[in-house]
Amino acid sequence: MTQINFSKTARAVIDIERQAIDEITQYIDEHFEKSCQTIFDCIGRTIVIGMGKSGHIGNKIAATLASTGTPAFFVHPGEASHGDLGMITKHDVVLLISNSGETVEIMSIIPVIKRIGAKTIAMTGNPQSSIAQLADIHLCITVSKEACPLGLAPTASTTATLVMGDALAVALLEARGFTADDFALSHPGGALGKRLLLTIADIMHKGEQVPIVTNDDTVKTALFEMSAKGLGMTAVVDADSRLCGIFTDGDLRRIIEQRVDLHNAVINDVMTKGCATIHPNILAAEALNIMETKRINGLIVIDDEQRPIGALNTQDLLKAGVL
């Protein structure tokens, strides 16, 4: 029985598709610039239309545009002919995707789109095709060959289409000054939403849950407070209730090695001064970044007057789905 070399074929496919991406780089030209500007200036939506595999890719392109600041949705050309053209207005831009540029279902609705008054951008592999010639702007996605050895299944061409769509979306994202906060508004669900939307105030321990001792308390008192609150640390404040340091499990191990008298030592002498802090309105993801950068397990949350109002540790971030 002949042994099939699956890995060899897979590497060949990847090489062909990598080449396809290299080939379409030449089409980032004045037509690409005009396409971006047209979508950027659009006061309506970007409507993406494609049939078959181009439709699947178009659906993803529409989703990427919509999630990165460009209002967009996908319309199936078959459904468009049966009422969904009513979704398109004269204020919209229609992105028509067809590798051959001769897709019948798309050809049949172009006259109506033109009559509506929407601007059209064709993304095809044939600049001389009917769809390319009828559109206001043509984006070329020509590739030299498909990864399919039969030259039939759309493979390298769909990869090139997807990459060109991502190039459009990201170029527009940067042009709009789209931020992580903007991105969060369209991604409220799941781990991504939690990372982007949750603030420190949403997950921090508050009120009586916050471990606090004064700087003239003993280490013994601090240990009781840490045990009671269970965060592995305590804030240390001065007579005006302003933060002056932190005492953590790590500090405890350090002073035990130094044979410090835990019953009589004053916390002010063994605490960590100039500790990392955070404000309640900061994103929880930023707390994670601070902890990872400084290699610490907890943070004290302070107000504008440097008074502790909360505390959190890595376990809180884990429970909230941020970590």
Side-chain angles (χ1 to χ4, degrees):
M1 181 177 177
T2 304
Q3 185 174 0
I4 301 173
N5 193 330
F6 294 111
S7 297
K8 180 180 179 181
T9 302
R11 292 189 184 94
V13 169
I14 293 171
D15 286 341
I16 292 170
E17 300 208 5
R18 184 184 297 114
Q19 179 184 340
I21 295 172
D22 289 339
E23 288 172 352
I24 66 166
T25 303
Q26 64 184 303
Y27 304 126
I28 304 301
D29 53 16
E30 67 274 12
H31 301 288
F32 180 85
E33 291 282 343
K34 189 175 180 181
S35 297
C36 288
Q37 192 64 53
T38 299
I39 297 173
F40 184 81
D41 294 338
C42 174
I43 61 174
R45 289 78 43 86
T46 298
I47 316 300
V48 184
I49 296 178
M51 189 72 187
K53 302 300 186 296
S54 292
H56 294 307
I57 297 298
N59 227 322
K60 192 275 180 185
I61 291 173
T64 300
L65 287 167
S67 69
T68 53
T70 298
F73 61 85
F74 176 80
V75 172
H76 189 283
E79 297 296 333
S81 296
H82 294 275
D84 282 2
L85 277 172
M87 298 179 180
I88 303 174
T89 74
K90 64 180 180 180
H91 302 297
D92 299 331
V93 174
V94 181
L95 178 60
L96 306 164
I97 303 175
S98 169
N99 188 45
S100 69
E102 302 292 345
T103 305
V104 174
E105 292 85 354
I106 295 178
M107 288 286 297
S108 66
I109 62 175
I110 290 178
V112 184
I113 295 172
K114 291 284 189 178
R115 185 172 179 178
I116 291 170
K119 293 182 178 178
T120 53
I121 301 170
M123 190 183 293
T124 84
N126 182 4
Q128 305 306 316
S129 64
S130 300
I131 293 175
Q133 294 298 310
L134 288 169
D136 297 314
I137 309 167
H138 178 248
L139 271 179
C140 192
I141 48 169
T142 304
V143 297
S144 57
K145 64 177 178 178
E146 298 286 7
C148 168
L150 302 176
L152 299 176
T155 45
S157 60
T158 49
T159 298
T161 306
L162 181 60
V163 170
M164 186 64 80
D166 285 344
L168 278 173
V170 176
L172 289 162
L173 176 153
E174 292 194 352
R176 297 182 195 284
F178 196 76
T179 66
D181 288 342
D182 297 322
F183 193 81
L185 294 176
S186 58
H187 296 76
L192 179 60
K194 290 180 179 179
R195 286 181 64 90
L196 294 173
L197 288 174
L198 281 178
T199 65
I200 299 301
D202 295 323
I203 63 174
M204 71 182 187
H205 297 268
K206 309 171 186 176
E208 294 298 320
Q209 297 176 331
V210 182
I212 299 177
V213 296
T214 59
N215 57 355
D216 56 1
D217 280 328
T218 63
V219 172
K220 179 181 177 181
T221 300
L223 291 179
F224 280 130
E225 181 71 355
M226 290 168 64
S227 297
K229 304 301 170 62
L231 294 181
M233 63 181 177
T234 182
V236 183
V237 298
D238 59 20
D240 294 324
S241 297
R242 288 185 171 84
L243 185 70
C244 56
I246 191 173
F247 187 76
T248 68
D249 288 338
D251 293 319
L252 175 61
R253 288 192 293 272
R254 174 175 53 82
I255 64 174
I256 288 176
E257 291 175 357
Q258 296 173 353
R259 300 183 182 278
V260 173
D261 183 353
L262 304 184
H263 292 275
N264 299 309
V266 178
I267 199 70
N268 188 73
D269 297 332
V270 295
M271 69 182 182
T272 298
K273 300 177 181 178
C275 59
T277 59
I278 200 165
H279 287 274
N281 59 333
I282 300 299
L283 291 175
E286 181 61 22
L288 176 60
N289 182 53
I290 293 173
M291 290 184 191
E292 289 179 340
T293 301
K294 295 184 177 292
R295 296 183 179 180
I296 56 178
N297 295 317
L299 285 169
I300 302 299
V301 186
I302 58 173
D303 61 17
D304 292 336
E305 296 181 345
Q306 301 297 307
R307 291 188 171 92
I309 58 172
L312 74 158
N313 60 18
T314 51
Q315 289 301 312
D316 298 315
L317 296 175
L318 183 62
K319 290 176 183 177
V322 178
L323 182 59

